[in-house]
Amino acid sequence: METVLITGASGRVAAWLRRHLRGVYPRILLSDLEPPHDLAPNEEFRAADLADFDAVCRAVAGAEGIVHLGGHSVEGPWPTILKANIEGCYHLFEAARRHGVRRIVFASSNHAVGFYPRRRRIGVDHRVRPDSRYGVSKVFGEALGSLYADKHGLRVLSIRIGNVAERPVDHRRLSIWIHPEDLAQLVRIGLEHPELRNEVVFGVSDNERGWWDNEAARRLGYRPRHRAEDHAAEALAAQRRLPPDPVGDRFEGGGFCSLEFDGDPDTIA
Ligand code: 15L
């Protein structure tokens, strides 16, 4: 693969990915509303608002693979989620189809399944349980990936990312954390694996306290190099400084579950 487009290129996750993918792909296209401040010689910035289909087409032109990190990255009001994550994701897949892009790696999220209780171990075949409008938009993106793979032959990897950071920052993150280097490994699988058609995997490091069966990723060759448990003492100390969250502490999605919550947590089996 010669030319890869990264959307959401000025964000935190993109900055780590660009670092870990340096030297892997000869030409990197970067799109976002504003340029990152540190363009490398093989990187080209293309400004694009995901809500603007023509701008997305211009950003996509010439790419063979796309890493779609763009959009709104936390819970937000419906108009924001609708524009950035629903319409924006559709624009991205449709622009990719029209421009002959071969592969898309979609940054899905653990919030597609955030309402599973923490004691349950789940795999990618369990039904979705979004914990927010944001989580619903990630389910939508995975569904688009499935449609474009089956109908148009695009190769798609949806990565349900836990929490990307250099270290896990609290108790919940000891289960869902992914080191940027491990995320880069999954992204490369999405862009390069010869047998990939359409898969959903969990974006998580080798975490002893993990909740997810990541067999789908293992089958594609994923071998995470980082372990949350190596940082357990710091993460648990940080957790002790946080206030309790009676709803969020029961479910995988944490604080996304307790936002606006007025249901009955005891009935969520
Ligand atoms: C996500 O999907 C968000 O993009 C990120 O900001 C974190 O909140 C993460 O989930 C998480 O669950 O920790």
Side-chain angles (χ1 to χ4, degrees):
M1 182 146 309
E2 283 281 310
T3 306
V4 171
L5 167 70
I6 301 177
T7 69
S10 299
R12 207 170 44 104
V13 175
W16 278 316
L17 264 189
R18 287 164 60 214
R19 200 174 315 142
H20 287 285
L21 294 178
R22 198 157 289 154
V24 176
Y25 304 109
R27 187 168 169 239
I28 304 278
L29 308 174
L30 301 173
S31 96
D32 208 317
L33 297 172
E34 300 292 332
H37 57 87
D38 55 347
L39 281 188
N42 72 330
E43 292 178 328
E44 174 188 329
F45 179 69
R46 296 178 173 180
D49 180 346
L50 289 167
D52 175 348
F53 182 62
D54 293 334
V56 175
C57 283
R58 287 192 294 274
V60 157
E64 290 153 89
I66 299 176
V67 184
H68 183 40
L69 305 176
H72 195 69
S73 67
V74 288
E75 179 61 315
W78 178 242
T80 305
I81 298 290
L82 177 64
K83 278 228 155 321
N85 292 15
I86 303 280
E87 282 177 11
C89 196
Y90 175 73
H91 288 164
L92 195 275
F93 273 87
E94 181 55 17
R97 181 185 74 79
R98 293 195 195 179
H99 285 268
V101 173
R102 292 187 283 125
R103 290 176 181 248
I104 295 184
V105 177
F106 170 58
S108 183
S109 166
N110 71 90
H111 297 290
V113 287
F115 260 125
Y116 276 98
R118 294 189 184 185
R119 62 176 184 280
R120 285 275 303 271
R121 187 171 170 81
I122 59 165
V124 289
D125 292 333
H126 281 76
R127 71 180 172 89
V128 294
R129 290 187 93 168
D131 57 21
S132 48
R133 293 175 288 277
Y134 167 73
V136 169
S137 75
K138 294 300 181 180
V139 172
F140 175 79
E142 291 181 8
L144 270 183
S146 179
L147 173 67
Y148 275 75
D150 288 343
K151 191 160 273 193
H152 305 299
L154 245 93
R155 295 175 184 236
V156 180
L157 182 68
S158 295
I159 308 175
R160 284 184 187 161
I161 299 174
N163 183 246
V164 195
E166 258 145 8
R167 54 192 63 82
V169 293
D170 58 22
H171 181 242
R172 174 173 164 266
R173 269 51 172 258
L174 286 174
S175 300
I176 69 164
W177 172 71
I178 182 165
H179 188 280
E181 187 185 9
D182 288 339
L183 181 63
Q185 191 191 140
L186 279 173
V187 164
R188 289 196 62 180
I189 287 172
L191 293 174
E192 298 168 29
H193 196 290
E195 268 122 56
L196 176 81
R197 295 285 160 191
N198 173 45
E199 294 283 348
V200 178
V201 296
F202 288 101
V204 67
S205 284
D206 180 13
N207 302 341
E208 224 167 282
R209 303 176 199 228
W211 300 313
W212 306 320
D213 171 358
N214 215 9
E215 183 49 33
R218 267 195 78 78
R219 256 190 285 113
L220 292 168
Y222 177 54
R223 299 290 179 270
R225 297 194 48 213
H226 298 266
R227 302 170 64 245
E229 216 49 31
D230 294 343
H231 310 277
E234 293 152 65
L236 294 173
Q239 181 68 40
R240 285 194 284 277
R241 294 191 288 274
L242 295 173
D245 177 352
V247 174
D249 290 346
R250 293 171 68 157
F251 301 104
E252 296 186 358
F256 282 60
C257 298
S258 42
L259 274 175
E260 303 167 33
F261 186 85
D262 53 11
D264 176 358
D266 293 328
T267 61
I268 308 174

